[in-house]
Amino acid sequence: MCRFLAYSGDAIFLEDLVCKPRHSLVRQSLQASEAKSVTNGDGFGIGWYGERDTPGVYREVMPAWSDDNLMALCANVRSHLFMAHVRAATGGGVSRQNCHPFHLDRYLFIHNGQIGDFPRLRRVMETQLSDELYDLKRGATDSELLFLLIMGRVKAGATVEAATRQVLLDTVDEMQARGITTPLRFSAALADGEQLWAVRWASDDKPPSLYLKPQPGGWAIASEPLGDDAEAWQPLAKGEVVHVHDGRIERRLLCG
């Protein structure tokens, strides 16, 4: 399973969360403490919003702990909204196209989890994409496909939360129709440059870990607490979505 973090608030250097904390995301790439895979060395990525209309994205297949370019970028880039991800591949192979975050227009997306028995579902799920979105697909992961399915519903006028809810429920329906009992697990963050959403959900009531913490001037979300202040990180409830916007948060259940 992967590890990730997201931040929204006053502009800070990416290194303040990605690199500097005692249990930073870079350290988690080498030694995670709340994941089945202790090492998350199958690539990494960062995405951030700056002065352009679309976000900056840097993805690489080498382990995060061994990339000096990542350290240099994080030390020099400031952003009010960014996310980062270290990958332990559960399918799709190790390639830059399979590294998170995935992006479309102003949207960024990161995911930890998996669709149970995904190879049996891939074809039917891909048919749900419009030709435009299918042509934009670059990798082979269930994560990217879930993101594009969510984006298809958002482009059709749904809210991010409604789109995410329906894609998850539709996927579970397809799994049940094929007798798939391996669960769908979904811990994810999605941003549009101004707003940030984080979701912790699973079809078997065992979603991947996800935490929320107030920061000076903002909010951080991460798969694991980043430092010695573990008590300050609040776990998201099972099935919960957190919406960060205008400097405040809203918390509610995504779906039953």
Side-chain angles (χ1 to χ4, degrees):
M1 306 296 272
C2 309
R3 305 282 84 184
F4 70 72
L5 68 83
Y7 169 82
S8 176
D10 295 342
I12 63 173
F13 286 106
L14 273 60
E15 69 173 1
D16 291 346
L17 294 180
V18 177
C19 307
K20 282 187 172 181
R22 182 190 61 80
H23 194 54
S24 69
L25 195 67
V26 171
R27 294 181 185 274
Q28 290 178 37
S29 68
L30 185 61
Q31 190 170 10
S33 60
E34 295 191 32
K36 291 183 179 179
S37 301
V38 174
T39 302
N40 297 270
D42 296 325
F44 69 87
I46 53 174
W48 68 93
Y49 294 91
E51 298 179 7
R52 302 286 186 175
D53 291 335
T54 54
V57 175
Y58 175 58
R59 302 186 296 178
E60 190 50 81
V61 296
M62 68 175 60
W65 68 79
S66 66
D67 191 314
D68 291 339
N69 292 324
L70 171 64
M71 309 302 176
L73 275 172
C74 290
N76 288 278
V77 173
R78 290 170 58 95
S79 175
H80 71 283
L81 178 50
F82 62 86
M83 56 181 62
H85 185 279
V86 292
R87 184 170 184 248
T90 56
V94 179
S95 70
R96 186 175 290 110
Q97 290 82 2
N98 289 334
C99 292
H100 307 220
F102 301 104
H103 57 100
L104 177 64
D105 300 330
R106 284 189 59 78
Y107 289 92
L108 287 172
F109 176 80
I110 49 179
H111 172 233
N112 173 31
Q114 63 184 16
I115 298 174
D117 215 348
F118 176 58
R120 292 175 56 190
L121 289 171
R122 183 199 305 272
R123 182 175 179 182
V124 68
M125 292 181 66
E126 288 179 344
T127 64
Q128 299 170 22
L129 293 174
S130 66
D131 290 344
E132 175 190 5
L133 289 175
Y134 183 82
D135 289 343
L136 293 174
K137 191 169 76 72
R138 294 291 178 264
T141 65
D142 52 357
S143 300
E144 182 186 24
L145 184 50
L146 286 168
F147 171 55
L148 292 174
L149 288 168
I150 292 168
M151 287 294 95
R153 290 186 174 274
V154 169
K155 284 180 171 291
T159 65
V160 165
E161 291 178 37
T164 302
R165 179 189 307 113
Q166 198 58 55
V167 167
L168 292 175
L169 295 179
D170 288 351
T171 302
V172 171
D173 286 345
E174 294 288 357
M175 294 169 69
Q176 291 175 345
R178 287 158 179 77
I180 295 172
T181 57
T182 309
L184 164 59
R185 291 175 176 163
F186 185 88
S187 181
L190 191 151
D192 68 358
E194 297 178 357
Q195 304 174 84
L196 172 67
W197 296 264
V199 178
R200 183 178 182 235
W201 188 89
S203 63
D204 67 346
D205 203 35
K206 296 179 181 178
S209 60
L210 197 59
Y211 293 85
L212 171 72
K213 179 180 179 291
Q215 299 285 110
W219 296 88
I221 294 164
S223 298
E224 300 182 12
L226 300 182
D228 296 319
D229 56 345
E231 69 285 348
W233 291 83
Q234 308 167 30
L236 271 67
K238 298 173 183 178
E240 186 176 13
V241 57
V242 171
H243 181 196
V244 186
H245 60 103
D246 301 321
R248 58 190 179 88
I249 63 167
E250 297 178 7
R251 305 178 68 167
R252 48 187 167 264
L253 290 180
L254 181 72
C255 53

